[in-house]
Amino acid sequence: MDRIRIVGGRPLNGTIPIGGAKNAALPLMIAGLLTRETVTLHNVPRLSDVRQLMRILGNHGVDAAISGKRAGQAEDAGDTITLSARDIVDSTAPYELVSKMRASFWVIAPLLARMGEARVSLPGGCAIGTRPVDLLLMALERLGASIEIEGGYVVAKAAKGLRGGEIFFPKVTVGGTHTALMAATLARGTTVIDNAAQEPEVTDLALCLTKMGAKISGAGTARIVVEGVERLDGAHHAVLPDRIETGTYAMAVAMTGGDILLQGARADLLQSAFDVLRQVGAEVTETNEGVRVRRNGGGIRPVDVTTAPFPGFPTDLQAQFMALMTMADGTSRIRETIFENRFMHVQELARLGAQIRLEGDTAIIEGRPVLTGAPVMATDLRASVSLVIGGLAAEGETMVHRVYHLDRGFEALEKKLVRCGAEIERLGGDG
Ligand code: UD1
């Protein structure tokens, strides 16, 4: 297994290109199952989760291909992927595939909508607390599906097709909203989704589905209305920029100091985190090319944060923000309200000398003037990148083990950071 070696203490200066959002690319790829026609996605990030989902879709009979590079294309441009689900040959998503990535469970919606039947293994994915699928299944039931659990598989049936219905989510769920939205596009009649997730990735999915011929209004608000159509067409769609990758590098430069242009980033996708970074003492400015983040001189001010659904502070930036707060001039509190048990990075950050104590859903961080490099272990996708951020700011050498977690969500991480003056390299083999 690869490791990442970092020698910290250098400021970050330069340009970091921001890729397409993983959390938008995955549902968009799954939406390709809804049509017999070809869906072409541009700006798809090169990530192991994307490759894994291509394998899963291939198993259902989707022809999924990555187009070659075009002349004049920038080195950092994302992939173009074509998906053609002319004939779905298998409506079962097996444990071996689904257990590796939680989002792949969402194939249940298009399979059910198109085939009237789906058999999907209960999911795996990041080890961040119990992540049930009860609300996803409730939504499908509201659209007329019958659901049974057999031998670790969810068996969903709607022999006569799905019909529109009223879905109310008692808790905001991104996956639940994606699932309901996809299923409703091909259901007979009108579906109303209340307390829908308002995340930009939901809006991006709705935009692509609309290009495919779906009739959707209200995406990006708490109430989405879908008029079912008989069939969907193909479409071309460019994945929106990754706000979590954006926020991650913004946190990194706020911690190390320096001046970074996050090229292609969209500030409107990340207002809450940028507001927090300004309070911390970083300068954040929108430019024609993206978002520029600077911190030159001045300390890191402690700020309290509570994670919340969009437009609140994203849980997917909680670990990175905690890394930043470990070097603040005082005490900060971070409350995690989306996932229980999403604090595995705490004990690893402590190995760098961070002072963090947990009280229920809240972490209390006593900032320190210096961290010191140490061997640390990545535990999940966002936690692992918080260790990289900590390592970039710590004095001396940090070795991050189990970096395959990083490859699920961060494209060319070392390359992007090296170009900005970081001393970071990937080493083969876990020695
Ligand atoms: C998505 C994101 C993930 C992000 C999360 C919250 C992708 C691929 N993943 O995950 O990066 O951290 O949104 O922004 O887009 N819940 C239930 N029952 C359900 C479904 C969810 O109780 O049936 C709970 C979860 O346990 C959690 C909360 O609802 O406490 C929110 O989860 P959800 O928004 O569904 O997360 P994901 O869609 O899995």
Side-chain angles (χ1 to χ4, degrees):
M1 275 188 278
D2 289 358
R3 297 163 291 164
I4 285 183
R5 177 175 167 274
I6 305 165
V7 180
R10 296 175 171 217
L12 294 169
N13 285 294
T15 297
I16 295 183
I18 297 302
K22 170 182 87 83
N23 285 355
L26 300 179
L28 286 165
M29 289 169 70
I30 290 172
L33 278 169
L34 284 166
T35 173
R36 289 174 59 82
E37 310 302 328
T38 301
V39 172
T40 306
L41 298 175
H42 306 282
N43 199 32
V44 179
R46 294 181 187 84
L47 299 170
S48 60
D49 270 11
V50 167
R51 301 290 184 271
Q52 175 68 7
L53 184 56
M54 285 179 78
R55 280 191 282 277
I56 292 171
L57 295 176
N59 194 54
H60 296 297
V62 178
D63 285 327
I66 301 178
S67 309
K69 275 207 157 177
R70 293 199 188 79
Q73 198 174 29
E75 192 198 336
D76 303 302
D79 279 333
T80 291
I81 292 188
T82 52
L83 301 156
S84 173
R86 180 156 295 278
D87 298 302
I88 294 177
V89 297
D90 195 340
S91 59
T92 298
Y95 175 76
E96 306 76 72
L97 295 177
V98 180
S99 58
K100 296 212 177 82
M101 191 202 342
R102 187 181 152 81
S104 57
F105 184 80
W106 304 340
V107 298
I108 194 166
L111 290 176
L112 180 64
R114 243 183 94 183
M115 309 295 289
E117 187 178 312
R119 217 172 144 262
V120 181
S121 168
L122 285 161
C126 278
I128 47 175
T130 46
R131 292 175 77 173
V133 289
D134 55 325
L135 299 177
L136 282 68
L137 300 183
M138 175 277 288
L140 296 175
E141 279 177 332
R142 299 293 296 164
L143 301 182
S146 74
I147 306 279
E148 276 174 49
I149 312 284
E150 284 172 14
Y153 280 74
V154 175
V155 182
K157 288 187 183 151
K160 293 188 194 132
L162 294 170
R163 50 166 169 69
E166 297 194 352
I167 300 168
F168 170 76
F169 286 114
K171 185 173 192 177
V172 175
T173 154
V174 174
T177 307
H178 284 321
T179 309
L181 190 55
M182 283 192 269
T185 56
L186 291 180
R188 274 190 321 281
T190 307
T191 297
V192 180
I193 307 170
D194 268 317
N195 202 25
Q198 301 174 39
E199 267 65 6
E201 294 75 22
V202 170
T203 313
D204 208 35
L205 174 64
L207 206 62
C208 181
L209 290 170
T210 303
K211 289 179 193 167
M212 292 162 69
K215 295 197 164 30
I216 301 168
S217 60
T221 74
R223 167 173 279 207
I224 303 177
V225 180
V226 185
E227 296 288 342
V229 295
E230 206 136 293
R231 59 178 196 86
L232 293 172
D233 294 323
H236 279 262
H237 185 77
V239 181
L240 92 172
D242 196 317
R243 64 195 168 101
I244 304 304
E245 187 188 28
T246 303
T248 299
Y249 290 120
M251 304 279 171
V253 68
M255 190 163 185
T256 61
D259 187 342
I260 294 279
L261 173 68
L262 300 164
Q263 198 174 38
R266 269 176 50 190
D268 60 309
L269 305 180
L270 207 58
Q271 282 308 348
S272 60
F274 285 145
D275 287 348
V276 167
L277 281 176
R278 288 189 182 101
Q279 292 173 50
V280 163
E283 262 179 76
V284 182
T285 39
E286 269 188 83
T287 77
N288 290 341
E289 281 187 85
V291 179
R292 185 172 168 196
V293 183
R294 279 191 285 183
R295 190 177 69 79
N296 286 318
I300 299 171
R301 284 196 291 271
V303 178
D304 294 346
V305 153
T306 299
T307 62
F310 191 86
F313 189 94
T315 174
D316 285 351
L317 287 175
Q318 182 254 104
Q320 297 90 315
F321 184 66
M322 194 180 298
L324 172 59
M325 286 297 96
T326 62
M327 279 178 61
D329 304 326
T331 305
S332 60
R333 303 166 71 87
I334 303 179
R335 187 164 164 245
E336 171 58 56
T337 68
I338 308 293
F339 293 109
E340 59 197 80
N341 197 17
R342 195 175 202 178
F343 282 132
M344 273 92 63
H345 42 286
V346 167
Q347 63 187 41
E348 295 302 307
L349 287 170
R351 299 174 61 79
L352 302 177
Q355 302 270 339
I356 308 167
R357 148 176 122 251
L358 291 178
E359 278 179 17
D361 63 1
T362 302
I364 299 141
I365 305 119
E366 312 277 352
R368 313 198 56 189
V370 278
L371 297 182
T372 357
V376 289
M377 183 97 79
T379 49
D380 74 34
L381 173 52
R382 311 304 178 184
S384 51
V385 84
S386 78
L387 302 174
V388 172
I389 295 178
L392 289 171
E395 283 179 0
E397 182 183 291
T398 294
M399 191 74 83
V400 184
H401 296 268
R402 300 211 179 152
V403 297
Y404 56 86
H405 289 293
L406 282 173
D407 298 330
R408 291 189 40 219
F410 291 93
E411 179 177 340
L413 177 94
E414 312 91 88
K415 208 161 101 189
K416 291 183 181 183
L417 288 167
V418 161
R419 279 198 224 136
C420 295
E423 195 174 334
I424 177 168
E425 62 178 335
R426 184 178 288 246
L427 307 173
D430 234 341

